[in-house]
Amino acid sequence: MKNGMLYLVPTPIGNLEDITLRAIQVLKNVDIIYAEDTRTSSVLLKRYDISTHMESFHKFNEHKKTESICTKLLEGGTAALITDAGSPGISDPGFLIVRACIENNIEIEALPGATAFVPALTVSGLPSDRFCFEGFLPQKKGRQTRIRMIAESPITCIVYESPYRLLKLLETLKEFAGGNRRVAVCREISKIHNECKRGTINELISWFSQNEPKGEIVVIIEGKENGKDVEEDFGRDEKEKFNYIQ
């Protein structure tokens, strides 16, 4: 019997219309959909009249369910893995089941689609030819070490952050990188309140101290080799082009 197939299907990070036609077709045709949160995903499936059976697959049960999923796929079944938003495996469940499928010679196909850090990087105004994606930083142990490494990196770095920890992140970055390093904070990408604030660390600390950050946040941090003093290296015209917060 031929092994089945696991599809990694990206889902919209905000606007439900961002899903691809191929993703809809795959979700309709597989035997089962494994979703990070079935309640969240049911809204998307209902929107596109997808009635495929759905089960949960998240960080609290992925170790337990990976073996049974592989068994179904080895019997010739087909499955799609989706998360609440974005691409499976990018700061979301997916790595364990992909590794297990590889070990069991089960074919995997990853569909292209939404990932929050890509649109955030492209609108940040910071160099995008080379970059490092750090995902979510540790909340406690190892957090400062990771931020120090980011501050020392010569290339653009990207992190996901909670609105409740954003100011603390900026303040710690200032400690290691100085206040003139350029940063972009993008939130609620593709949603109604989509917004990108660009400026120096000092400027963004001032802004978010007076304007409480809300929603899902992506932070883009300039690399050290380009982190020169803004007042010395950028005139008024250049700062306006970069859309600095005034």
Side-chain angles (χ1 to χ4, degrees), residues 101-135:
C101 286
I102 292 170
E103 292 172 349
N104 286 279
N105 295 316
I106 298 168
E107 193 170 352
I108 311 158
E109 187 160 353
L111 277 63
T115 301
F117 74 79
V118 174
L121 174 62
T122 55
V123 303
S124 70
L126 295 172
S128 58
D129 55 333
R130 295 177 63 216
F131 61 89
C132 174
F133 174 63
E134 290 285 340

Side-chain angles (χ1 to χ4, degrees), residues 125 182 198 230-244 246:
R182 296 189 295 175
R198 310 170 183 87
V230 173
E231 296 299 331
E232 292 180 0
D233 294 338
F234 291 86
R236 180 178 297 274
D237 290 342
E238 289 299 314
K239 289 180 68 177
E240 289 178 355
K241 287 179 184 178
F242 191 71
N243 192 22
Y244 272 78
Q246 302 296 325

Side-chain angles (χ1 to χ4, degrees), residues 117 121 130-135 150 153 155-159 219 221:
F117 74 79
L121 174 62
R130 295 177 63 216
F131 61 89
C132 174
F133 174 63
E134 290 285 340
I150 289 169
S153 173
I155 62 176
T156 302
C157 287
I158 307 167
V159 301
V219 183
I221 304 145

